[in-house]
Amino acid sequence: MAANPQASQLLGQRETIDASNSSIRRREMPTGKLYAIGDLHLGFADNKVAWSNLTPHPGDGLILCGDVGESAEHLRLAFSRATECFDATWWCPGNHELYTLPVESDTGARGEQKYQECINIAREYNVLTPEDDFVIWKGEGGPAVIAPIFTLYDYSFRPDDVSLEGAVPWAREKDTEATDEFLLHPDPHPSRQDWCNALIKKFETKLEAARAQYPLLPLVIANHWPLREDLVTLKFIPRFSLWCGTKLTDDWHRRFNAKVVVSGHLHIRRTDWKDGCRFEEVSLGYPRQWKNCAEMGMGVDELLREILPGPEIRKTGEVPTRWRMYG
């Protein structure tokens, strides 16, 4: 679809965006399709082998939606293969990248420092992160602004009659507790919800700047955690919702004119439509969770999700959730 004249004029302006409008970096963007996948969990041998078998996608771009692993080695494996196979790669952090493992408990980085270490590794491979300027996608399905963000969670995905102080004990009543409670530290913030609140303010500012600068261009927002509570369906561990996002982002797809919102974390692949915006959960997950695909001869290539141009929304009637095994 051809861009309208005003959008074309905008594309002739600055190619990048950040909250302060103080940084300009020009990049050659891919001209093909934009794909996404999350939750590679490269600490698992089967996932590591599957990732190593990713085939080249010349002309295409890839979003990595967090939880590629728990170590610098996992990040480098993810970024090196992604940048070998795709013309451009974006990454946003998941909770697993932010873990300070027990063997690192005395000397390892924590909280924001751990996040910055991940950013530094991404920059070794020219991978774009939430700390880099947003850029314009000019390939198929564009133009659109690619906006990787980082929000964490604040325990607000809970029933109204459960208090913040009682949220984690409420989850424990059903033998549910995230490993984050032991390995994901909020330093220097007093708590994870305080860190989440600071991140919300930071990326609200950045997204508002993007909308102000490019009012005619839609956004592709990528985040590890879902932006909406109604997209969190956890049949067997419903109280794990506490660690799945924040209600503060519920309307971001409308506020910031999102065309697509991409996330991972749930390990439940699905496509939803809300207010004309497409939501894609793109997790690979643990080996047992994509075992059926592997048994059918599928690998990571078949589990990549096409974000742009992607499927078109039906013009009439309700659009039900599409639960996806692959693709």
Side-chain angles (χ1 to χ4, degrees):
M1 182 181 296
N4 63 46
Q6 192 171 359
S8 297
Q9 183 178 2
L10 286 170
L11 287 175
Q13 299 174 5
R14 238 180 56 183
E15 297 293 333
T16 58
I17 309 162
D18 69 1
S20 64
N21 293 327
S22 63
S23 175
I24 301 175
R25 291 194 301 157
R26 293 188 175 273
R27 293 176 179 269
E28 292 298 324
M29 284 292 101
T31 57
K33 295 181 178 182
L34 177 65
Y35 292 92
I37 194 165
D39 301 79
L40 294 176
H41 291 291
L42 296 178
F44 289 89
D46 288 346
N47 286 24
K48 188 180 296 185
V49 170
W51 183 243
S52 71
N53 291 328
L54 179 69
T55 61
H57 289 254
D60 295 334
L62 178 68
I63 298 171
L64 294 171
C65 265
D67 276 10
V68 302
E70 296 80 23
S71 69
E73 177 195 3
H74 297 153
L75 282 169
R76 290 190 168 95
L77 284 171
F79 296 155
S80 62
R81 191 62 184 161
T83 52
E84 286 172 0
C85 294
F86 289 86
D87 287 7
T89 302
W90 290 261
W91 165 83
C92 46
N95 48 311
H96 281 244
E97 284 97 333
L98 303 175
Y99 283 174
T100 302
L101 299 177
V103 295
E104 308 167 319
S105 58
D106 294 330
T107 60
R110 295 162 61 104
E112 286 191 350
Q113 185 182 354
K114 184 62 180 285
Y115 173 50
Q116 187 58 52
E117 286 188 357
C118 295
I119 296 296
N120 293 341
I121 293 172
R123 288 176 175 163
E124 292 175 16
Y125 295 88
N126 203 30
V127 169
L128 291 163
T129 77
E131 300 307 308
D132 292 301
D133 302 337
F134 295 161
V135 298
I136 296 173
W137 173 265
K138 298 181 184 179
E140 296 182 33
V145 178
I146 310 298
I149 63 172
F150 170 32
T151 63
L152 210 58
Y153 50 83
D154 61 2
Y155 306 94
S156 59
F157 286 1
R158 65 181 193 272
D160 292 340
D161 61 350
V162 175
S163 67
L164 175 60
E165 294 74 19
V168 173
W170 168 76
R172 288 174 182 155
E173 290 175 1
K174 296 297 183 180
D175 297 322
T176 300
E177 185 168 13
T179 305
D180 297 19
E181 295 297 310
F182 309 96
L183 300 182
L184 200 164
H185 305 286
D187 307 37
H189 303 278
S191 67
R192 296 175 194 86
Q193 55 266 39
D194 287 315
W195 191 7
C196 174
N197 288 336
L199 290 166
I200 292 296
K201 293 175 183 177
K202 173 180 178 176
F203 286 102
E204 274 184 324
T205 299
K206 190 168 184 178
L207 291 166
E208 285 169 355
R211 289 291 298 119
Q213 184 168 359
Y214 294 98
L216 298 182
L217 295 186
L219 270 63
V220 174
I221 300 176
N223 188 45
H224 179 65
W225 293 270
L227 295 192
R228 292 176 58 93
E229 186 178 13
D230 59 5
L231 300 179
V232 179
T233 304
L234 302 168
K235 180 178 179 181
F236 299 108
I237 48 170
R239 299 191 184 191
F240 189 78
S241 62
L242 292 182
W243 295 275
C244 291
T246 168
K247 292 181 178 179
L248 295 173
T249 60
D250 180 78
D251 67 345
W252 279 20
H253 65 294
R254 294 191 300 269
R255 284 180 60 189
F256 303 120
N257 188 30
K259 181 175 184 176
V260 192
V261 175
V262 189
S263 64
H265 191 59
L266 303 181
H267 297 196
I268 302 172
R269 301 171 65 83
R270 58 187 287 178
T271 300
D272 294 89
W273 294 91
K274 302 289 181 181
D275 307 307
C277 176
R278 177 161 44 96
F279 288 78
E280 298 280 13
E281 208 283 358
V282 299
S283 299
L284 176 65
Y286 303 133
R288 68 179 184 275
Q289 293 168 326
W290 62 281
K291 179 182 177 182
N292 289 343
C293 293
E295 290 175 345
M296 291 188 289
M298 296 181 186
V300 171
D301 286 291
E302 288 77 20
L303 278 88
L304 295 175
R305 181 60 176 167
E306 182 184 308
I307 303 303
L308 293 177
E312 293 293 330
I313 186 173
R314 292 188 307 199
K315 301 301 182 184
T316 59
E318 292 294 321
V319 181
T321 297
R322 179 189 170 199
W323 305 95
R324 306 188 328 272
M325 180 184 293
Y326 57 87

